Amino acid sequence: QVQLVESGGDLVKPGGSLRLSCTASGFIFTDYYMNWIRHSPGKGLEWLSYISPASHDIMYADSVRGRFAISRDNAKRTVYLQMNSLRVDDTAVYYCAFPARLARDWGQGTKVTVSS
Amino acid sequence: DVVMTQSPLSLPVTLGQPASISCRSTQGLLYSDGSTYLNWFQQRPGQSPRRLIYKVSNRDSGVPDRFSGSGSGTDFTLTISRVEAEDVGVYYCMQGTHWPWTFGQGTKVEI
């Protein structure tokens, strides 16, 4: 069955960086766009970014463009979210999900806390 | 950005009775491929969101048939025909037509 496992969440100071990972199993990874979505008490659910199978098509929400970078390693069946210049309002549970537009499957989430 | 507005935000329900949640978008959700990317999710406490309905009215595998979705254009509805205790949680609509794809604020369903 489909499984998405996120990791990398942590407590980090404002201005710091983190890299989240999401490892997939149970489906043909190279057939699908992969996505990062976050859930925070203040902003609710927010779709942050997606990446196409060959990494040619990438999009970001305005709130993270220029600070976050999505990437994927198809050989490792893993999608990443590099998060730089973190702010207090980036505090959230971060989920990977697929497919694009439809979000049928989600991981369990990884918690990121940005605080001094 | 397309704003998704749900109502009500809090929905007290009675077991065995129907319940419905409205979702309105600030733009029409018909995509160029002919699909309307309006999805509904349920989130129970401590769990990840679970998709219930995709493309307005298609029920996901394993979702009880008491859940149904309807609507078109900018107005959509999730209906629970007879509420059961396990339906407690927060429900979100989400549009996948216009980037950035956006979610409603959530409707808390409680007994």
Side-chain angles (χ1 to χ4, degrees):
Chain A
Q1 71 279 21
V2 170
Q3 194 169 17
L4 299 169
V5 179
E6 300 96 336
S7 60
D10 205 347
L11 170 62
V12 62
K13 288 182 167 46
S17 297
L18 274 180
R19 188 177 83 155
L20 306 183
S21 300
C22 169
T23 301
S25 59
F27 63 100
I28 303 173
F29 186 70
T30 50
D31 277 356
Y32 291 96
Y33 280 61
M34 296 298 295
N35 308 267
W36 285 99
I37 299 167
R38 69 184 177 187
H39 195 185
S40 64
K43 297 182 186 178
L45 284 161
E46 187 179 8
W47 203 301
L48 301 179
S49 181
Y50 67 70
I51 184 168
S52 63
S55 303
H56 295 321
D57 185 14
I58 290 175
M59 287 291 284
Y60 298 101
D62 286 348
S63 58
V64 303
R65 186 177 295 115
R67 299 188 301 123
F68 290 11
I70 192 171
S71 62
R72 64 192 290 165
D73 183 331
N74 288 337
K76 294 183 178 179
R77 302 175 60 87
T78 299
V79 60
Y80 304 98
L81 188 67
Q82 177 66 42
M83 304 189 297
N84 300 326
S85 303
L86 281 162
R87 309 190 296 223
V88 171
D89 65 355
D90 292 319
T91 295
V93 177
Y94 286 72
Y95 297 98
C96 69
F98 87 103
R101 303 185 188 276
L102 293 168
R104 181 190 63 216
D105 295 285
W106 299 57
Q108 85 289 350
T110 188
K111 185 165 178 57
V112 173
T113 302
V114 185
S115 174
S116 54
Chain B
D1 296 1
V2 175
V3 176
M4 306 298 288
T5 302
Q6 292 182 227
S7 62
L9 298 184
S10 178
L11 182 57
V13 297
T14 302
L15 295 178
Q17 294 300 303
S20 66
I21 301 169
S22 170
C23 176
R24 289 185 171 170
S25 59
T26 53
Q27 296 181 40
L29 299 184
L30 179 62
Y31 188 55
S32 55
D33 65 1
S35 292
T36 297
Y37 289 95
L38 187 285
N39 310 309
W40 289 95
F41 298 85
Q42 175 196 61
Q43 187 170 29
R44 293 174 173 144
Q47 296 186 13
S48 303
R50 168 199 182 198
R51 197 181 71 181
L52 301 175
I53 302 285
Y54 63 98
K55 290 197 276 187
V56 181
S57 59
N58 297 278
R59 196 180 309 113
D60 271 281
S61 174
V63 173
D65 61 8
R66 63 180 181 273
F67 289 94
S68 62
S70 62
S72 64
T74 61
D75 287 346
F76 303 91
T77 302
L78 176 70
T79 300
I80 310 173
S81 60
R82 295 173 307 280
V83 173
E84 296 191 8
E86 66 180 17
D87 300 336
V88 166
V90 182
Y91 292 77
Y92 299 92
C93 61
M94 171 248 153
Q95 67 83 20
T97 298
H98 305 284
W99 181 257
W101 305 323
T102 48
F103 293 85
Q105 323 95 299
T107 294
K108 187 173 185 178
V109 171
E110 47 202 352
I111 306 295

